[in-house]
Amino acid sequence: MPHTLDADAVRTWCGLALDALGRAREEIDAINVYPVADADTGTNLYLTVESATQAVTAAFDGHGAAPGPAAGPSLPEAVRAMAHGALIGARGNSGTILAQLLRGMADVFADGDGGDGEIGRAAGPDGEADGLRRALRRAAELAYRGVAHPVEGTVLTVARAAADAAARTEGGPAAVARAAYEGARAALEATPTQLGVLARAGVVDAGGYGLVVVLGALAEAVSGRPPAAAGRPPAAVPALDGCSAAGAHSSAGEGPGGGPAFEVIYLLEAEETAVARLRDRLDSLGDSLVVVGGDGLWNVHVHVDDAGAAVEAGIEAGRPHRVRITHFGTAAARRAHADEPYPRPRTEDTGQWPDRPDAQEPPGARADRAARAVVAVVPGEGLAALCAEAGATTVAARPGERLAAGELAQAVRRARAREVVLLPNDAELRHPAAAAAAQARAEGVRVAVIPTRSPVQGLAALAVHEPGRSFDEDVVAMTSAAGATRYAELAVAERQSWTMAGVCQAGDVLGLIDGDVAVIGDGIAGTAETVLDRMLAAGGELVTLVVGADVPDGVAEHLERHVRDGHFAVDTVIYHGGQPGVPLIIGIE
């Protein structure tokens, strides 16, 4: 059923958009040919929306209350948080433009009826729909203003088409959002007719594709159901003259050999008058200039040959920080030599900028790196110590809060290795782990993500890790060990709810096998016995029990005896993981 356009809808929109971009990220990266074919548009958009999502979550947490219109932030507060989070976390050309689109929407919602910013609160769905139409129009207008030299056939065209379709549509916010999505999708499919580089590559615009994904999530958030076409790839034109996406790069005259050498991005604290002068200065230095933001905080994106001059221009205008410089030539070399175990890093987030293409890492830093490392996400101190003893770099999971891709990427950097195996150990970390790996690969680290969905699968993978093998052989062995480990865990129900095993009540102990509720019990030991018996009925040689922080003494030993008495020739190993909120994690190999 249609939902009210309120702060909860914004939070839902963020979550849906992040998940949808996680699924589409690799496909969007693959069709990225304009303005530079550096295969990172999908990753950049994912990271931008991830930052926006974190800001909205913080806005709700800041109210210190349960979700709901009365308890949480207002609609304008939520949209402003989303826009601000996107601004400070914007990556790449498309991510920067998306941040400006969200700022445009925030401007409209902040000017709502009655002085409280709640668009159409008294007028009901009609007022909400009108506010959404105006927000989409303002978003497109601001995005065009933020780009120094707008080009049709890009994300800008898609944004304008979405606003036009919304303006023509009658009905409530759900109808308007759906129309915006459908208008954007139609415009996306036409982008190859507007931009020759897309036609030659046989693809649609990558940034526009990402915006269609984000608008599809908006339509689902306010309507309660996904658009009919959501999840299907947009149409693309056939490649002409046998050109591929890679071939389109050089024919477009962008990037190595035909365009600026560096991408420079930074946040800037400056007055609007100083930013106007900065635009002129950067426009004379390079191309693909996008400057977005306002109220004293701006995100600056430009492609230049002289990265130092671009940053110095920012210093003259105000205070630049979070400086990020990417050398396109090294990126091209990385693509050309994808099989090399450790291509040179291309990105620095230190605030320094290189004065030559190969000045990407301090002298001797590469030699200081280890050959290979394992990075593992762990939910408890005991598991962290166990994994660290096995040689892994650990990342502490936070109960009820998904780790961000940036945190995982930082852990990969902290491992200081030429090759890294990443163990997310949680099904919900699949997309953040993939995005983190993409960031690390862009910096010259060879990364493989093993899709471990539980800490016990991570332990199984670590047990067969052998740095002396080739990277590919080691990854295959670890993946095989993780895949051969079935997993389960116990949880305590917080409220009455429907499950695959029936209705549970608050306080019931739930036994989840492979992520689904299979057993509902009233005690930890009894529920665990039932789970173990069900899993061992299919066979098994080794049971791993990872005991949580608040489990009574003797439970693990009781379960060990239960396995020994009821299942011949099955060994049991017990670890005190110390994980909060999960009394027991079970692995069967």
Side-chain angles (χ1 to χ4, degrees), residues 5 18 31 71 85 248 264 378 402 414 472 483 496 515 553 583:
L5 186 55
L18 190 62
I31 65 171
V264 178
V378 290
R402 185 165 67 177
R414 194 169 70 245
D472 291 339
Q496 183 187 62
D553 293 339

mmCIF file of all heavy atoms in Angstrom, residues 5 18 31 71 85 248 264 378 402 414 472 483 496 515 553 583:
data_model
loop_
_atom_site.group_PDB
_atom_site.id
_atom_site.type_symbol
_atom_site.label_atom_id
_atom_site.label_comp_id
_atom_site.label_asym_id
_atom_site.label_seq_id
_atom_site.Cartn_x
_atom_site.Cartn_y
_atom_site.Cartn_z
ATOM 1 N N LEU A 5 4.793 10.228 2.535
ATOM 2 C CA LEU A 5 6.107 10.775 2.225
ATOM 3 C C LEU A 5 6.627 11.509 3.452
ATOM 4 O O LEU A 5 6.372 12.693 3.659
ATOM 5 C CB LEU A 5 6.007 11.723 1.022
ATOM 6 C CG LEU A 5 7.335 12.280 0.487
ATOM 7 C CD1 LEU A 5 8.290 11.156 0.150
ATOM 8 C CD2 LEU A 5 7.081 13.166 -0.714
ATOM 9 N N LEU A 18 20.549 1.641 -1.470
ATOM 10 C CA LEU A 18 21.859 1.057 -1.198
ATOM 11 C C LEU A 18 21.896 -0.408 -1.619
ATOM 12 O O LEU A 18 22.848 -0.868 -2.264
ATOM 13 C CB LEU A 18 22.191 1.198 0.285
ATOM 14 C CG LEU A 18 23.628 0.854 0.685
ATOM 15 C CD1 LEU A 18 24.616 1.776 -0.003
ATOM 16 C CD2 LEU A 18 23.792 0.923 2.195
ATOM 17 N N ILE A 31 29.810 -0.766 -17.716
ATOM 18 C CA ILE A 31 29.401 0.044 -18.863
ATOM 19 C C ILE A 31 29.892 1.480 -18.759
ATOM 20 O O ILE A 31 29.497 2.340 -19.546
ATOM 21 C CB ILE A 31 27.870 0.035 -19.050
ATOM 22 C CG1 ILE A 31 27.162 0.708 -17.864
ATOM 23 C CG2 ILE A 31 27.357 -1.383 -19.247
ATOM 24 C CD1 ILE A 31 25.672 0.929 -18.087
ATOM 25 N N ALA A 71 8.268 10.640 16.653
ATOM 26 C CA ALA A 71 9.451 10.476 17.478
ATOM 27 C C ALA A 71 10.742 10.801 16.752
ATOM 28 O O ALA A 71 11.693 11.283 17.352
ATOM 29 C CB ALA A 71 9.503 9.037 17.993
ATOM 30 N N GLY A 85 24.966 13.884 3.822
ATOM 31 C CA GLY A 85 25.778 12.673 3.811
ATOM 32 C C GLY A 85 26.311 12.374 2.424
ATOM 33 O O GLY A 85 27.474 11.968 2.261
ATOM 34 N N ALA A 248 35.890 2.387 -26.920
ATOM 35 C CA ALA A 248 35.235 3.690 -26.915
ATOM 36 C C ALA A 248 36.022 4.695 -26.111
ATOM 37 O O ALA A 248 35.949 5.893 -26.351
ATOM 38 C CB ALA A 248 33.826 3.557 -26.351
ATOM 39 N N VAL A 264 40.687 15.013 -9.558
ATOM 40 C CA VAL A 264 40.900 15.642 -8.248
ATOM 41 C C VAL A 264 39.535 15.908 -7.613
ATOM 42 O O VAL A 264 38.655 16.497 -8.247
ATOM 43 C CB VAL A 264 41.680 16.964 -8.374
ATOM 44 C CG1 VAL A 264 41.851 17.611 -7.005
ATOM 45 C CG2 VAL A 264 43.033 16.730 -9.027
ATOM 46 N N VAL A 378 34.582 -9.824 12.598
ATOM 47 C CA VAL A 378 34.267 -10.703 13.723
ATOM 48 C C VAL A 378 33.338 -9.981 14.700
ATOM 49 O O VAL A 378 33.475 -8.784 14.930
ATOM 50 C CB VAL A 378 35.544 -11.151 14.458
ATOM 51 C CG1 VAL A 378 36.342 -12.108 13.592
ATOM 52 C CG2 VAL A 378 36.410 -9.964 14.834
ATOM 53 N N ARG A 402 25.256 -2.249 10.275
ATOM 54 C CA ARG A 402 26.069 -2.800 9.201
ATOM 55 C C ARG A 402 27.327 -1.957 8.993
ATOM 56 O O ARG A 402 27.263 -0.738 8.932
ATOM 57 C CB ARG A 402 25.251 -2.854 7.900
ATOM 58 C CG ARG A 402 25.984 -3.517 6.754
ATOM 59 C CD ARG A 402 25.051 -3.879 5.625
ATOM 60 N NE ARG A 402 24.485 -2.726 4.964
ATOM 61 C CZ ARG A 402 23.677 -2.801 3.911
ATOM 62 N NH1 ARG A 402 23.307 -3.982 3.444
ATOM 63 N NH2 ARG A 402 23.204 -1.710 3.356
ATOM 64 N N ARG A 414 44.980 -1.279 6.103
ATOM 65 C CA ARG A 414 45.721 -1.497 7.343
ATOM 66 C C ARG A 414 46.510 -2.805 7.310
ATOM 67 O O ARG A 414 47.549 -2.938 7.971
ATOM 68 C CB ARG A 414 44.739 -1.494 8.520
ATOM 69 C CG ARG A 414 45.401 -1.374 9.883
ATOM 70 C CD ARG A 414 44.383 -1.118 10.974
ATOM 71 N NE ARG A 414 43.546 -2.269 11.242
ATOM 72 C CZ ARG A 414 42.235 -2.317 11.027
ATOM 73 N NH1 ARG A 414 41.605 -1.261 10.533
ATOM 74 N NH2 ARG A 414 41.537 -3.405 11.304
ATOM 75 N N ASP A 472 45.402 -17.565 -6.315
ATOM 76 C CA ASP A 472 44.187 -18.199 -6.822
ATOM 77 C C ASP A 472 43.924 -19.536 -6.139
ATOM 78 O O ASP A 472 42.780 -19.846 -5.778
ATOM 79 C CB ASP A 472 44.280 -18.402 -8.343
ATOM 80 C CG ASP A 472 44.224 -17.084 -9.093
ATOM 81 O OD1 ASP A 472 43.735 -16.096 -8.512
ATOM 82 O OD2 ASP A 472 44.660 -17.038 -10.261
ATOM 83 N N GLY A 483 32.398 -22.981 1.936
ATOM 84 C CA GLY A 483 31.165 -23.507 1.351
ATOM 85 C C GLY A 483 30.755 -24.859 1.896
ATOM 86 O O GLY A 483 29.576 -25.212 1.864
ATOM 87 N N GLN A 496 6.711 -10.436 19.242
ATOM 88 C CA GLN A 496 5.931 -11.452 18.537
ATOM 89 C C GLN A 496 6.052 -11.229 17.032
ATOM 90 O O GLN A 496 5.970 -10.096 16.549
ATOM 91 C CB GLN A 496 4.457 -11.379 18.935
ATOM 92 C CG GLN A 496 3.588 -12.457 18.306
ATOM 93 C CD GLN A 496 2.115 -12.246 18.582
ATOM 94 O OE1 GLN A 496 1.551 -11.234 18.168
ATOM 95 N NE2 GLN A 496 1.507 -13.191 19.297
ATOM 96 N N GLY A 515 20.419 -19.036 8.017
ATOM 97 C CA GLY A 515 19.779 -17.735 7.966
ATOM 98 C C GLY A 515 18.280 -17.728 8.144
ATOM 99 O O GLY A 515 17.684 -16.654 8.287
ATOM 100 N N ASP A 553 27.392 -20.821 32.142
ATOM 101 C CA ASP A 553 28.467 -21.812 32.171
ATOM 102 C C ASP A 553 27.879 -23.217 32.037
ATOM 103 O O ASP A 553 26.809 -23.526 32.580
ATOM 104 C CB ASP A 553 29.243 -21.722 33.488
ATOM 105 C CG ASP A 553 30.009 -20.413 33.600
ATOM 106 O OD1 ASP A 553 30.258 -19.794 32.552
ATOM 107 O OD2 ASP A 553 30.330 -20.018 34.738
ATOM 108 N N PRO A 583 23.603 -15.869 21.372
ATOM 109 C CA PRO A 583 24.091 -16.807 22.392
ATOM 110 C C PRO A 583 25.005 -17.893 21.854
ATOM 111 O O PRO A 583 25.950 -18.308 22.532
ATOM 112 C CB PRO A 583 22.795 -17.419 22.959
ATOM 113 C CG PRO A 583 21.724 -16.430 22.623
ATOM 114 C CD PRO A 583 22.123 -15.806 21.341
#
